[in-house]
């Protein structure tokens, strides 16, 4: 507990220090921006004084200094106006200067960037100097935005790495727990198999021992499923109609008679590459979800169809249904509409279908209050001769 508290405290300290560093960088950037902006204002005042001196100069005046001031400005765009008419431009593209509309729009932009410098070169005679920010100042202005973007991207990268590492650790933990569960189930299961043999020797009714054997087979299947978690499953060339029907019939015999089970499939076998135990798990998850949605009463149908290159398994119920906004979120880990449950069934089903069997699973259609149809699509292989 203390370790967890220290770790949380360390995280908050790191977050606070990071925020402080970012704030200092942004403040310093803003300070530099204002310093450069004030310096450019001083340069424009010098340029305005040089313009005034040049206007008022007579033939004996020394104009070398004003001309030198003009020539030193190579980066700040300037528009000089008198009586709202443009009389001079500096550091502005010729295509803008020659186009009246573009020049007027550019002038408006300069008016928005900085206050003009007023040049009074005689009684009642005024010129206005409009100027924009230099290229360096504009780069400095957008620097904080670029910095923030870099920081956000870096933080997202760190978060993604941390989350991926955490998920990988959790997956290893769950895989280890699943394998240990399979190992623990194996001991009593072996004992149950022995007891069934004793019951047979004592001539117990075959109907009883056969049902117990079915449940033992089911437990062995579940043990096999858990032992395969975290490992690449072996796919076999199997008849999906037969494999699906076996799982469906087993579930049908163990649920309430208030549920009407319907199974429709082609009479001929349809072969696909699948892992029987994992496919059985998929059917079980879909059937149990459908039964939960119907609250143990209604019609549940499983229909197998095929086309030229794929086979489709549709599991339909007459339950509560889901909204279109939930069509994709139902497959996310933790999503559940039940008061009890981990929300892992459909997430696991999606992984089995898409990652292990290279197929697709989706909500084919659903309507609130009328029911839902889930569809699995798997690639067919040529039928056995």
């Amino acid at each position: 507990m203390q370790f967890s508290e220290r770790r949380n405290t360390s995280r908050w300290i790191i977050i606070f220090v990071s925020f402080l560093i970012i704030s200092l960088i942004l403040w310093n950037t803003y300070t530099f921006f204002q310093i450069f902006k004030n310096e450019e204002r001083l340069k424009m005042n010098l340029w305005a004084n040089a313009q005034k001196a040049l206007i008022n100069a007579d033939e004996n005046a020394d104009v070398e200094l004003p001309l030198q001031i003009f020539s030193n400005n190579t980066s700040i765009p300037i528009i000089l106006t008198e009586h709202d008419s443009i009389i001079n431009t500096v550091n502005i593209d010729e295509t803008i200067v020659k186009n009246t509309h573009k020049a007027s729009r550019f002038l408006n932009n300069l008016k928005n960037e900085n206050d003009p410098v007023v040049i009074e070169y005689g009684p009642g005679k005024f010129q206005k100097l409009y100027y924009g920010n230099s290229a360096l100042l504009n780069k400095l202005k957008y620097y904080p935005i670029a910095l923030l973007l870099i920081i956000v991207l870096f933080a997202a990268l760190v978060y993604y790495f941390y989350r991926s590492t955490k998920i990988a650790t959790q997956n290893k933990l769950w895989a280890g727990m699943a394998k240990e569960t399979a190992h623990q189930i194996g001991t009593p299961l072996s004992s149950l198999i022995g007891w069934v043999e004793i019951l047979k020797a004592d001539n117990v009714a075959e109907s009883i021992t056969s049902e117990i054997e079915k449940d033992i087979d089911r437990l062995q299947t579940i043990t096999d499923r858990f032992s395969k978690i975290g490992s690449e499953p072996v796919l076999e060339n199997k008849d999906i109609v037969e494999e699906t029907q076996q799982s469906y019939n087993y579930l049908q015999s163990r649920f309430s008679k208030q549920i009407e089970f319907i199974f429709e499939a082609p009479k001929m076998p349809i072969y696909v590459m699948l892992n029987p135990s994992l496919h059985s798990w998929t059917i079980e998850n879909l059937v149990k979800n459908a039964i939960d949605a119907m609250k143990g009463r209604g019609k549940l149908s499983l229909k197998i169809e095929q086309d030229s290159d794929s086979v489709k398994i549709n599991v339909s119920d007459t339950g509560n249904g889901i909204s279109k906004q939930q069509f994709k979120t139902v497959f996310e880990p933790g999503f559940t509409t039940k008061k009890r449950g981990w929300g892992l069934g459909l997430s696991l089903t999606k992984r089995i279908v898409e990652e292990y069997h290279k197929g697709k699973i989706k909500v084919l259609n659903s309507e609130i209050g009328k029911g839902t149809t889930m569809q699995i699509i798997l690639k067919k292989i040529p039928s056995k001769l």
Side-chain angles (χ1 to χ4, degrees):
M1 182 68 177
Q2 290 179 350
F3 173 75
S4 177
E5 289 178 355
R6 285 199 299 270
R7 186 170 62 181
N8 288 333
T9 301
S10 300
R11 287 176 181 173
W12 281 110
I13 291 173
I14 292 171
I15 291 172
F16 175 76
V17 171
S18 301
F19 178 77
L20 184 62
I21 292 172
I22 292 171
S23 300
L24 288 173
I25 292 173
L26 294 177
W27 172 254
N28 283 332
T29 304
Y30 174 77
T31 302
F32 290 148
F33 180 81
Q34 292 301 321
I35 291 172
F36 289 141
K37 195 173 181 68
N38 290 334
E39 287 186 355
E40 289 193 353
R41 182 74 180 185
L42 291 174
K43 288 180 180 179
M44 290 301 96
N45 285 330
L46 286 175
W47 202 97
N49 289 330
Q51 174 70 7
K52 181 179 178 180
L54 191 62
I55 293 173
N56 294 325
D58 55 25
E59 57 184 11
N60 297 320
D62 184 5
V63 295
E64 183 178 352
L65 181 59
L67 292 175
Q68 187 175 358
I69 292 174
F70 291 156
S71 63
N72 284 339
N73 175 33
T74 58
S75 59
I76 302 174
I78 294 174
I79 292 181
L80 193 65
T81 67
E82 188 170 358
H83 304 300
D84 296 327
S85 297
I86 298 175
I87 59 174
N88 192 15
T89 61
V90 179
N91 297 327
I92 298 175
D93 194 277
E94 285 295 324
T95 57
I96 296 175
V97 175
K98 293 178 179 179
N99 189 308
T100 305
H101 178 70
K102 288 183 179 179
S104 177
R105 189 167 57 186
F106 193 85
L107 177 60
N108 289 330
N109 291 336
L110 296 185
K111 289 179 179 179
N112 292 328
E113 285 189 26
N114 297 289
D115 294 329
V117 177
V118 179
I119 305 171
E120 185 177 2
Y121 62 90
K125 296 180 179 180
F126 298 94
Q127 290 181 352
K128 288 185 179 180
L129 185 154
Y130 295 96
Y131 68 98
N133 298 327
S134 64
L136 176 62
L137 199 60
N138 282 328
K139 288 179 181 178
L140 190 61
K141 180 170 65 174
Y142 294 115
Y143 171 75
I145 298 174
L147 179 65
L148 285 175
L149 286 174
I150 292 171
I151 292 171
V152 169
L153 289 173
F154 180 74
L157 183 63
V158 171
Y159 173 77
Y160 176 77
F161 175 77
Y162 170 77
R163 181 175 172 82
S164 299
T165 304
K166 186 176 180 181
I167 291 173
T169 303
Q170 289 176 343
N171 286 339
K172 289 180 180 178
L173 176 63
W174 283 111
M177 290 178 63
K179 290 179 183 295
E180 179 62 22
T181 301
H183 177 71
Q184 295 294 335
I185 292 175
T187 302
L189 190 57
S190 299
S191 178
L192 283 173
I193 293 172
W195 281 109
V196 169
E197 294 302 320
I198 293 174
L199 290 174
K200 287 180 179 180
D202 290 343
N203 295 319
V204 175
E206 187 179 347
S207 60
I208 295 175
T209 57
S210 64
E211 287 301 317
I212 295 175
E213 285 179 329
K214 286 180 182 179
D215 287 331
I216 289 174
D217 289 341
R218 192 66 179 175
L219 284 172
Q220 287 178 326
T221 300
I222 293 171
T223 304
D224 187 46
R225 290 174 184 170
F226 278 100
S227 67
K228 283 182 171 62
I229 289 180
S231 304
E232 191 68 27
V234 177
L235 302 183
E236 304 173 43
N237 190 344
K238 291 287 186 178
D239 176 14
I240 196 168
V241 175
E242 180 183 353
E243 296 294 334
T244 304
Q245 189 166 20
Q246 285 179 1
S247 300
Y248 196 70
N249 289 344
Y250 175 84
L251 294 168
Q252 181 179 355
S253 65
R254 277 152 178 76
F255 280 100
S256 169
K257 300 300 180 183
Q258 293 181 325
I259 299 172
E260 181 184 355
F261 285 83
I262 301 171
F263 184 85
E264 299 179 46
K267 300 299 181 183
M268 64 185 74
I270 304 173
Y271 291 98
V272 300
M273 295 300 295
L274 57 79
N275 182 281
S277 62
L278 292 182
H279 176 69
S280 175
W281 202 351
T282 298
I283 299 302
E284 182 178 323
N285 282 335
L286 293 180
V287 169
K288 286 183 176 180
N289 271 343
I291 291 172
D292 288 340
M294 296 187 295
K295 297 180 180 178
R297 179 182 299 177
K299 183 194 294 186
L300 193 155
S301 67
L302 189 150
K303 185 177 182 180
I304 300 178
E305 304 173 314
Q306 64 174 326
D307 54 29
S308 58
D309 58 356
S310 65
V311 57
K312 299 174 182 177
I313 304 174
N314 296 335
V315 179
S316 304
D317 63 64
T318 56
N320 294 327
I322 58 176
S323 63
K324 288 186 177 180
Q325 290 79 9
Q326 295 176 323
F327 277 19
K328 291 185 178 180
T329 55
V330 293
F331 296 106
E332 294 179 0
F335 179 89
T336 180
T337 57
K338 296 179 286 187
K339 292 182 179 179
R340 295 181 180 180
W342 293 89
L344 297 175
L346 287 179
S347 173
L348 181 61
T349 301
K350 182 180 177 69
R351 183 172 183 177
I352 291 172
V353 172
E354 296 189 352
E355 292 188 22
Y356 293 156
H357 292 101
K358 309 303 178 186
K360 293 181 181 179
I361 183 170
K362 62 181 179 180
V363 181
L364 184 61
N365 56 65
S366 184
E367 192 173 346
I368 300 297
K370 292 188 177 182
T372 302
T373 298
M374 307 290 291
Q375 184 179 75
I376 298 172
I377 304 175
L378 298 173
K379 187 177 180 180
K380 278 196 328 183
I381 59 176
S383 300
K384 292 181 177 179
L385 298 176

